[in-house]
Amino acid sequence: MNKLTILLVLAFITLSIAQNTPLPVISGFSFGAPTELVHVDLNALTLSNITVGIPDSISIYQVINSTNPDYLYLFYNRQEKMSIDYFFGKYYYANNSLVRHESLALERLHLFEYFQPFNFYDYQTNQVSMSGWNGSCITIVTYDIASEQVFYLYTPYTTWNKSAPIGGIGVDAYEVITFFYNGELPEGNGSIIITNTQSQQSTVYVIENFEQFTIYNSPYNWPFSIGEDRFLCVIDYGGPGGNVYLYQIFLSDYQTAQLKLLYTFGNAFVGGQPLMWTEDKKNIIFIGSENRQNDVLVFVVYNLETNLADTVFIPNSLNISISQFNAWYNV
């Protein structure tokens, strides 16, 4: 057997293993009343759901830990009248109940506008952070779970037309990455802020070649990180359908950011959380419906190591509204 034959055999074996690797099983919580928990098996092409026994005033934001066989550890809020309170709690499978564990008091942020990020919780520091608009500047709020203290970082940056920014946990400990339309630049050019909540230092990076996206056709753009890489999820409402673009972010020494397009999820996004990533940090899963109709749900599993994608279509036998689900996690 010559060298070329060996290489071809190895390539065939590798391809066969990749094709036989089971796809993830995922679940997600809906928001609104009543709260549902849906399970999606991307291998068996099946859906199942239950109604979760929690008050209608509660919205689940993120599943922080799904490894315990008895419960899920959640970050959620409760909105009653004019107050919004944030909590950590445990959802127990056995009795379908949510038990409050810790609370996060935002006593100084009565006027705090923000879009829900993909990830609030920093596993490296045991802290929760979010970026928002306090009426005059972009503000980072951090809750230290161990000390039960809330810290506020007021940046010098303003947003275009007072639009709310979107933040997420960055690659390094204490790092928060925020996308916003820059109020200091013409037409509010898209920009990235990298903030260290420990040193309270922030650096802004202007995104190059981002002119096709504006606050009018792409108001929701989520920055997030997986492992050592930073990403930006851009939703374009200006085209014929809800297209979702996945970019990798590269920061330069000249306070500019370059974007590399990795994948386009076309004509499928209908609202809710557009993507999630698996616990092993190997796959990003896009979530939507075929041709933006409710009859068939579509999930694309994009592998970050191979840059290959598997597309799965599942008939919506439960007639669930996929746009109402925003707290997805990997089972």
Side-chain angles (χ1 to χ4, degrees), residues 109 111-113 132-139 154 158-159 162-163:
L109 286 177
L111 297 174
F112 185 66
E113 299 179 37
W133 175 253
N134 74 345
S136 59
C137 68
I138 295 176
T139 302
Y154 303 98
T158 60
T159 63
K162 297 182 179 180
S163 58

Side-chain angles (χ1 to χ4, degrees), residues 44-299:
L45 308 183
T46 57
L47 303 172
S48 61
N49 68 333
I50 61 171
T51 299
V52 179
I54 64 174
D56 297 342
S57 58
I58 287 178
S59 295
I60 297 171
Y61 278 175
Q62 183 181 351
V63 178
I64 293 177
N65 192 321
S66 60
T67 59
N68 192 291
D70 298 322
Y71 63 83
L72 297 170
Y73 192 53
L74 307 175
F75 178 58
Y76 63 95
N77 83 352
R78 182 186 64 199
Q79 183 169 358
E80 294 182 353
K81 296 182 179 179
M82 296 301 292
S83 66
I84 301 177
D85 301 309
Y86 297 84
F87 302 95
F88 299 92
K90 294 178 180 179
Y91 168 75
Y92 288 91
Y93 297 111
N95 57 6
N96 191 26
S97 65
L98 180 62
V99 179
R100 187 175 72 183
H101 183 55
E102 296 176 84
S103 62
L104 191 168
L106 300 180
E107 69 280 356
R108 292 167 57 189
L109 286 177
H110 301 296
L111 297 174
F112 185 66
E113 299 179 37
Y114 71 99
F115 290 117
Q116 180 178 335
F118 290 157
N119 53 340
F120 292 87
Y121 180 69
D122 188 343
Y123 292 88
Q124 300 181 77
T125 63
N126 196 28
Q127 295 180 339
V128 166
S129 293
M130 61 183 79
S131 304
W133 175 253
N134 74 345
S136 59
C137 68
I138 295 176
T139 302
I140 312 294
V141 182
T142 297
Y143 177 70
D144 186 276
I145 297 176
S147 66
E148 298 186 358
Q149 290 184 302
V150 180
F151 303 95
Y152 305 87
L153 196 162
Y154 303 98
T155 75
Y157 309 115
T158 60
T159 63
W160 180 260
N161 202 26
K162 297 182 179 180
S163 58
I166 303 180
I169 301 303
V171 299
D172 298 320
Y174 303 102
E175 180 182 302
V176 176
I177 179 171
T178 305
F179 173 89
F180 72 113
Y181 284 104
N182 199 326
E184 303 298 322
L185 298 175
E187 299 302 321
N189 294 54
S191 299
I192 295 289
I193 303 174
I194 301 295
T195 302
N196 186 299
T197 59
Q198 184 180 49
S199 67
Q200 298 197 347
Q201 299 295 314
S202 294
T203 303
V204 64
Y205 298 84
V206 178
I207 301 175
E208 295 184 341
N209 302 316
F210 200 72
E211 292 80 6
Q212 71 183 97
F213 302 113
T214 69
I215 192 172
Y216 304 107
N217 64 11
S218 300
Y220 310 117
N221 303 312
W222 284 270
F224 62 100
S225 64
I226 302 176
E228 298 300 316
D229 297 315
R230 302 179 181 93
F231 300 92
L232 183 66
C233 171
V234 176
I235 298 179
D236 182 13
Y237 289 95
N243 291 333
V244 178
Y245 302 95
L246 175 65
Y247 293 95
Q248 187 171 353
I249 302 172
F250 297 93
L251 305 177
S252 76
D253 296 331
Y254 304 100
Q255 290 188 234
T256 60
Q258 292 78 40
L259 300 181
K260 177 184 178 183
L261 180 62
L262 300 181
Y263 190 79
T264 301
F265 185 50
N267 195 27
F269 177 68
V270 291
Q273 184 174 326
L275 62 81
M276 60 163 291
W277 54 94
T278 53
E279 193 75 26
D280 59 12
K281 301 179 180 180
K282 293 181 179 180
N283 300 290
I284 291 176
I285 303 176
F286 297 88
I287 302 162
S289 59
E290 187 179 23
N291 297 322
R292 305 182 69 195
Q293 302 298 313
N294 201 45
D295 297 336
V296 178
L297 304 180
V298 56
F299 303 87

